[in-house]
Amino acid sequence: MPSVVLIGAQWGDEGKGKVTDFLAQKADIVVRYQGGNNAGHTVVVNDDEFKLHLIPSGILYPDKVCIIGNGVVIDPAVLIRELEYLAGRGINTDNLRISERAHIIMPYHKKLDEVIEESKGDAKIGTTKRGIGPAYMDKAGRVGIRFVDLLDRDEFMALLERNLKDKNDLLTKVYGAEGFEKDTIAEEYLGYAERLRKYAADTSIIIHDALKAGKNVLFEGAQGTLLDLDHGTYPYVTSSHPIAGAACIGAGLGPTEINKVVGVVKAYTTRVGAGPFPTELDDETGAHLRDRGHEFGTTTGRPRRCGWFDAVITRYAVRVSGLSGLAVTKLDVLTGMETLKICTGYRRGSQIIRDFPASLKVLAECEPVYEEMPGWKEDISTARKFTDLPPAAQNYLNRISELSGASISIIGVGTRRSQTIVKETLF
Ligand code: GDP
Ligand code: IMO
Ligand code: MG
């Protein structure tokens, strides 16, 4: 099977980085296709931990081509910092290619992200303030600046001038913030252009040719299904599409070229930022999951909200992304808990809801319906086969699979590459 799309099937931070790095062993190309440096993907290799924001999690192998696709929004300063961080840790990044069609995050996008959030008061989304939303707004508004434009001095200056007029008006007159100077931005960004020029490519061609030659291509999603602009808990979402369909748009290939789609889920649920979270535990159990799972944001360091596994949202993710399998991570975090709960539906008055509702008002009236299962006490961090797991852990996974409507392909029992159980081979 030459092409696999891997997505987050909850609210992000499911462990996509770890699973991507693991699967990348057998891939020739690893592609990021949406989001930006709002993402924080952690990969542990031996005793070294790497935190990646823009560069695909395949970069730790010297021979993999890594692509930042057209659907990603790129903050060039962050990308350069990430390249330097990797170089400083002995990682070669010569195999990175960046789509000429990817949009660039400008200083005014970051400022706007901040002031728009502040102006929302209690209704704020809790964004990462990385300028992601405003950059995608400009893309949809057809005034964005693409990587190919940044590489052409005249084109860039014309677009910058046109944009700055509007953005400065908006910042100063509507939000009472300071505006930006054209020359200061130009000097900074034209410098970035020279540093990044060598990575520019028409990346859709690279992917297309590789697939034609029978090579393995892995698509690494960012964020998660419930943060999807269309399918998530709108407006508490990100501004891109974390669901699998976005791989086609954000990398430049057709749906017929995708062979498998894997959804990554934690063995429980977490969320960073504001918005509905039906199985959230605002108690000792939630605090226990946060401590044991080290649930603090990779990008912003914020504590993650924690709760029980929600099969309603996984079933929803299976539907909207056509998931062929699940990668269940952090099973080891549940070790030692007497009883585990899985949410099978939501109770609203006398009604039981089994399909994730669109209305936040309805969602606020929903109470999770739980099924209880016995936990296990055995250390599972050295399990390497499904049958190494204690029967209670096997039953828990089987029930997740049954309720979600997808088979379990991969199981994570620790942060390291070796702490991965493969139940179904993907490549
Ligand atoms: P991503 O954004 O989906 O890539 O996930 P993050 O990297 O933001 O957060 C996942 C965290 O869980 C990281 O610190 C990983 O090292 C860690 N992790 C991933 N898989 C496992 C696992 O199976 N067990 C444990 N204990 N930690 C894991
Ligand atoms: P990875 O790829 C978890 C959340 C933010 C906020 C909302 C909108 O590591 O899973 P944005 O800055 O995107 O406009 O913020 O989305 N968010 C994430 N939560 N993991 C992520 O990425 C996230 N990227 C954005 O916390 O609630
Ligand atoms: Mg993350």
Side-chain angles (χ1 to χ4, degrees), residues 16-257:
K16 298 175 293 293
K18 185 213 158 174
V19 181
T20 299
D21 167 77
F22 179 81
L23 291 175
Q25 292 174 78
K26 297 222 178 116
D28 298 289
I29 302 187
V30 185
V31 187
R32 271 280 309 268
Y33 54 88
Q34 46 73 228
N37 62 305
N38 46 352
H41 295 183
T42 315
V43 179
V44 178
V45 183
N46 303 320
D47 291 327
D48 293 326
E49 187 182 72
F50 295 86
K51 290 184 185 298
L52 299 163
H53 299 284
L54 276 167
I55 298 178
S57 301
I59 198 72
L60 304 177
Y61 300 87
D63 56 335
K64 314 294 176 191
V65 171
C66 283
I67 289 179
I68 297 180
N70 56 277
V72 175
V73 286
I74 300 171
D75 183 330
V78 172
L79 179 54
I80 291 166
R81 265 210 308 278
E82 197 157 309
L83 287 165
E84 283 166 0
Y85 157 79
L86 289 171
R89 299 187 63 177
I91 306 296
N92 186 327
T93 51
D94 288 348
N95 285 335
L96 178 70
R97 299 287 176 272
I98 305 170
S99 169
E100 296 169 322
R101 292 179 171 85
H103 279 245
I104 299 295
I105 297 181
M106 301 295 291
Y108 45 79
H109 292 138
K110 288 183 266 189
K111 188 75 199 168
L112 280 166
D113 201 352
E114 235 174 76
V115 296
I116 292 171
E117 272 285 271
E118 273 160 30
S119 74
K120 287 196 165 118
D122 286 348
K124 76 170 188 236
I125 290 162
T127 75
T128 58
K129 298 194 179 163
R130 300 298 195 265
I132 307 296
Y136 279 117
M137 280 159 74
D138 275 5
K139 176 177 176 175
R142 295 158 295 182
V143 293
I145 300 179
R146 299 172 305 159
F147 188 38
V148 71
D149 306 319
L150 174 65
L151 298 177
D152 180 321
R153 186 190 176 88
D154 295 341
E155 191 67 21
F156 178 71
M157 290 307 291
L159 288 170
L160 177 61
E161 192 158 349
R162 224 178 294 160
N163 267 290
L164 260 192
K165 196 189 158 319
D166 284 356
K167 299 300 189 289
N168 278 342
D169 276 354
L170 188 60
L171 281 168
T172 57
K173 295 178 188 164
V174 176
Y175 293 104
E178 271 185 45
F180 288 89
E181 291 287 339
K182 184 178 80 175
D183 292 344
T184 316
I185 295 184
E187 196 188 328
E188 185 186 335
Y189 272 65
L190 291 170
Y192 297 151
E194 288 327 303
R195 174 74 174 80
L196 296 173
R197 185 178 298 279
K198 67 172 181 180
Y199 300 108
D202 191 333
T203 50
S204 159
I205 297 175
I206 301 174
I207 297 167
H208 189 77
D209 289 351
L211 287 173
K212 238 166 62 183
K215 294 197 170 156
N216 292 339
V217 182
L218 177 61
F219 296 88
E220 176 185 10
Q223 289 81 52
T225 303
L226 278 300
L227 288 171
D228 186 277
L229 185 56
D230 275 63
H231 301 283
T233 46
Y234 191 89
Y236 298 96
V237 293
T238 191
S239 298
S240 71
H241 295 283
I243 66 161
C248 295
I249 299 167
L253 75 162
T256 50
E257 290 183 290

Side-chain angles (χ1 to χ4, degrees), residues 11 226-227 233 236-237 269-277 303-305:
W11 275 283
L226 278 300
L227 288 171
T233 46
Y236 298 96
V237 293
T269 314
T270 65
R271 173 166 203 168
V272 207
F277 178 1
R304 294 174 182 150
R305 301 156 63 192

